[in-house]
Amino acid sequence: MTEGMEALRIGIDLGGTKTEAIALDRTSGVELARRRVATERGSYDGTIRTIRDLVEGLEAQLGGRASVGIGIPGTISPATGLVKNANSTWLIGQPFDRDLQDALGRPVRLANDADCFALSEATDGAGAGAATMFGVILGTGVGGGLVVQGKLVTGPNAVAGEWGHNPLPWPADDERPGTACYCGRSGCVETFLSGPGLERDHGQGLRVPEIERLAQAGDGLAEAALERYEDRLARALAVVINILDPHVIALGGGVGNLARLYRNVPARWGRYVFSDSVVTRLLPPVHGDSSGVRGAAWLWD
């Protein structure tokens, strides 16, 4: 990395519907600029162009060259060096990190988007000071990342935190076999707890914020859908607590903006956690639903 790159760091959060970029001061972490554009769904070359244009635009705006970290809805396979497990399926099987390096003319660092979210919130967000924190993405997809003593946990298979592709725990009869998932199985947590999963369960063609507004206005159908969602989230997180026993769980992604989750899910998960009490804190992200873009910028630490 050249000396001129030391002043800035850029983070990119590649989501299923939007791609966001942030520029931070390298030393202080102060946000200098932020941009958000629609994701060019289905186009690998378009995704490369979008990220290149965001980086070049921020550098031109700020008059400097930056390190670049990118959070993606998947991960780079240690076995092949290609993207795997991406719900943005046009990335699967591609040498995404190498192609981005060629497009940007510099090294880049990639990590799973949920890992980036977890790293951001553990560094100076909801999980700051906590010994262990599980960061959750509830968006177009469902993912997770684990931070212990301030360090992101990774493993030999690059799947740490992939709770979204476990089966929904303790399913009711009407939850089996569940909706088919892009991973090739049915009934995955992601098919129930993603934004599209909640919208599909409500069944009226409405987006999540509209469902929330209807429930607040007393609509029974919307309220029932949200209560089902909360119980499913409580079950899924209970398994995480039983395995990891984190001090803090933080929710990111668009569905994580539902304020009622932070009251209602902890009220439900006690019946599923294998303990006489549950003191794990369920918290909203300090840095908002796109906190992962900050974590991507921190990958160069």
Side-chain angles (χ1 to χ4, degrees):
M1 187 179 303
T2 65
E3 182 178 352
M5 293 174 70
E6 295 297 329
L8 300 175
R9 61 175 80 241
I10 287 176
I12 305 286
D13 181 23
L14 176 59
T17 58
K18 55 87 180 171
T19 300
E20 186 167 11
I22 193 172
L24 305 178
D25 178 85
R26 185 165 198 84
T27 302
S28 69
V30 170
E31 180 179 332
L32 302 175
R34 184 187 293 251
R35 297 185 179 192
R36 180 183 289 194
V37 299
T39 297
E40 192 168 340
R41 294 185 58 80
S43 173
Y44 182 71
D45 291 339
T47 301
I48 298 285
R49 286 194 302 270
T50 296
I51 292 173
R52 182 198 63 203
D53 291 348
L54 284 168
V55 170
E56 291 179 353
L58 285 172
E59 289 181 331
Q61 177 183 342
L62 298 171
R65 189 167 163 86
S67 60
V68 178
I70 302 165
I72 68 170
T75 193
I76 299 294
S77 167
T80 66
L82 307 176
V83 174
K84 67 174 182 176
N85 298 348
N87 61 2
S88 298
T89 53
W90 59 94
L91 302 179
I92 293 175
Q94 300 286 356
F96 194 41
D97 53 347
R98 299 195 295 274
D99 288 341
L100 284 171
Q101 288 178 175
D102 290 342
L104 293 170
R106 76 198 75 180
V108 299
R109 291 185 180 174
L110 268 64
N112 178 264
D113 53 0
D115 285 344
C116 291
F117 170 79
L119 181 60
S120 172
E121 290 298 318
T123 299
D124 60 355
T132 56
M133 193 202 82
F134 190 69
V136 168
I137 295 292
L138 300 173
T140 305
V142 171
L146 178 64
V147 177
V148 176
Q149 301 294 349
K151 301 294 185 182
L152 192 63
V153 174
T154 59
N157 304 300
V159 293
E162 285 288 5
W163 71 304
H165 292 281
N166 291 327
L168 182 72
W170 302 287
D173 288 343
D174 61 358
E175 294 171 331
R176 293 191 291 261
T179 301
C181 183
Y182 78 91
C183 74
R185 298 177 176 86
S186 296
C188 289
V189 164
E190 178 168 304
T191 66
F192 290 98
L193 297 183
S194 63
L198 172 55
E199 293 160 3
R200 181 173 55 250
D201 182 61
H202 179 248
Q204 301 299 303
L206 300 179
R207 303 300 300 274
V208 171
E210 296 169 305
I211 298 170
E212 180 187 28
R213 283 194 292 271
L214 284 175
Q216 291 170 341
D219 181 87
L221 188 65
E223 178 62 29
L226 288 174
E227 288 182 5
R228 288 192 298 272
Y229 184 91
E230 288 161 352
D231 190 70
R232 291 162 177 165
L233 181 55
R235 282 181 265 159
L237 290 178
V239 172
V240 172
I241 295 171
N242 284 342
I243 295 172
L244 302 176
D245 202 12
H247 293 78
V248 171
I249 297 174
L251 304 182
V255 186
N257 289 325
L258 298 177
R260 58 182 285 161
L261 299 181
Y262 303 95
R263 302 186 305 272
N264 297 344
V265 172
R268 290 175 177 270
W269 66 21
R271 72 192 72 170
Y272 303 114
V273 176
F274 189 60
S275 176
D276 58 349
S277 65
V278 185
V279 297
T280 297
R281 292 177 291 154
L282 183 67
L283 298 175
V286 168
H287 300 293
D289 61 353
S290 58
S291 181
V293 74
R294 299 176 73 260
W298 290 116
L299 290 175
W300 278 96
D301 280 356

